Amino acid sequence: MDFGETEERQALRTAVAEIARSFGPAYYAAHAAERKPCDELWAALGEAGFIGVNIPEEYGGGGGGLTDLALVCEEIAAQGTPLLLLLVSAAISAGVISEFGTDEQRKTWLPGLAAGTSKVVFAITEPDAGSNTHRLSTTAVRDGGGWRLSGSKYYISGVDEAEALLVVARTGEAGPKGPRLSLFLVRTDAPGLARHLLPVDVLLPERQFTLHFDDVYLEPESLIGAEGDGFRQVFHGLNPERITGAAMAVGIARHVLTTAARYANDRQVWSVPIGAHQGVAHPLAKAKIETELAALMTRQAAWQHDHGQPAGESSNMAKYAAAEAALAACDAAIQSHGGNGLSSEYGLMPYWGLARLMRIAPVNREMILNYVAQHSLGLPRSY
Amino acid sequence: MNIVVCVKQVPDTWAERKLKQGDATLDRESVDGLINELDEYAIEEALQIKEAHEGEVTVLTMGPQKASESIRKALSMGADKAVHLIDDALAGSDVLQTSYALAKVLENIGFDLIVLGAESTDARMGSMAAMLAERLSVPQLSLASKVEINGTAIKVNRQSEDGYWQVEAQLPAVISVVEKINEPRYPSFKGIMAAKKKPMQVMSCADAGIDTSLVGLANAATEVVDFTERPPRQAGTIVKDEGDGGNKAAEFLVTQKFI
């Protein structure tokens, strides 16, 4: 068993960190406060080929795997500049198009995604269908060679930044194995598609939207993969989303723990730095342990995915552990900073918000516990 | 064109740097090493020259095994191959001896143009370009903020305090570059993946024809006789403004000869 990281991966870490560091936490905090996308950082990473590491080389990508993409997500976040849309545009959309798209679709979409010049975000969640994909009601019906799409989606991140959406829609009556779902690429400027900002009180550079599809016409080439096979295809994208989400959470934890350790070493209220007080030190140490454990599980999940092994259990566990670790780390870091922990100047709150979001999305903590109870422990299904 | 970039692995400038008790050489074990910052500008310039005129960029470093990290970075930025001069006999060499050793390797591998960063962040001698030029009997064009090559003619803007000098020479030559010259590129994902497959030649003193009785700490022309740790930072003076804060601040600046 080899726990070492190859020289290439170490170099990848260093190179990604170097770019992200040149932007840094102040850049992130300012963009989060203004709800402005981190375009410059995205472009710089794209130019160096880091956004498209998991895309095949013949379509302009790096020819690497999810392990590489997860490392990119972690390292960017560890420099205080997490990029939420990597989880959808790079992990889900690029992954699904690479795997199930036709050569024509790959040629159309992947080079832009690889270069970081365009984004494709993911639209699955609906007002009446959150974790329960069986209740999805957005429907595509045949219209000649193409399709007509109707329905609503909400909590869709980054629609304003994206060229297209990867939409999960119903294309027929439910069978014994669940609903007949299909995946479609829908341009964000398609006639009949309306978007409304969905305000959230978490400080994020990325914005969330409610979408309404009113009889949106889709060209025949909008369908990704086989009609009715969307359920299986979506699942191909969900593990990568969880794994990169876990990696990002690990990175957030690393960043806030580094920040807190520096502060606790410098800040002196009585005769010693506050880091000498165990009430300050132990929560940070505990979060550090949880972070490293989550990082290990994240690496295992990515490795399993890249080796074609079942990665559902480890992806879920990694995402659970990483979100919890990030939240514990943010909480301990904020507490270590006292009043400064809530200040704009010290900029910790945006990370807390993102970590808190990661407990809920892309799959919430309780659904993971359900999964583990049922699949890992053989307990009765709870819903 | 055969371009050789000399790079040096130095201790991270953000880390606390120390000399070793005993032989007073730099403690390289306790800090992270990285490529000397100005050397990244040298690599970038070499890559730009190659892209404009064709040729090959070779990275040359002298240093312990750890220095291969810096070579790897240079290769991932786009250099074509590397030479690593590594030999225990070289440990503790001063700038004169290092220039002798590097010159031996350069004579071996051949060059049209040698590119260096103007100085390193650790020793800060800033004299390697001059010494290499002397040892190799080629012109040096130092402190370049701009380089133009036309056939075998090379022209640089040599940075000075008041502006720049225009200096010209014929290749082969040695140049050293300043920060102003370019914006070094980041290693790309493809560059990182390709780096391992690029040729890296490891040379010992014997391979390069270096006389080991002329190199190393014991034979150095300069010697660090003594050193003291930097004293801890003193607490600053707090001036309380009782209507005369401006005067007091000015007085302080006068005592420090700032005004």
Side-chain angles (χ1 to χ4, degrees), chain B residues 182-202:
Chain B
N182 57 41
E183 185 73 37
R185 68 195 64 185
Y186 291 110
S188 69
F189 185 66
K190 284 179 188 169
I192 289 169
M193 301 313 278
K196 206 175 182 177
K197 296 178 197 110
K198 290 179 176 173
M200 171 143 90
Q201 187 186 354
V202 176

Side-chain angles (χ1 to χ4, degrees), chain B residues 58-73:
Chain B
T58 306
V59 184
L60 166 61
T61 199
M62 166 179 140
Q65 188 53 44
K66 240 180 129 184
S68 64
E69 297 162 5
S70 288
I71 289 182
R72 185 61 70 81
K73 174 154 190 195

Side-chain angles (χ1 to χ4, degrees), chain A residues 183-194:
Chain A
L183 292 180
F184 296 95
L185 273 168
V186 182
R187 290 190 182 272
T188 45
D189 60 2
L193 167 57

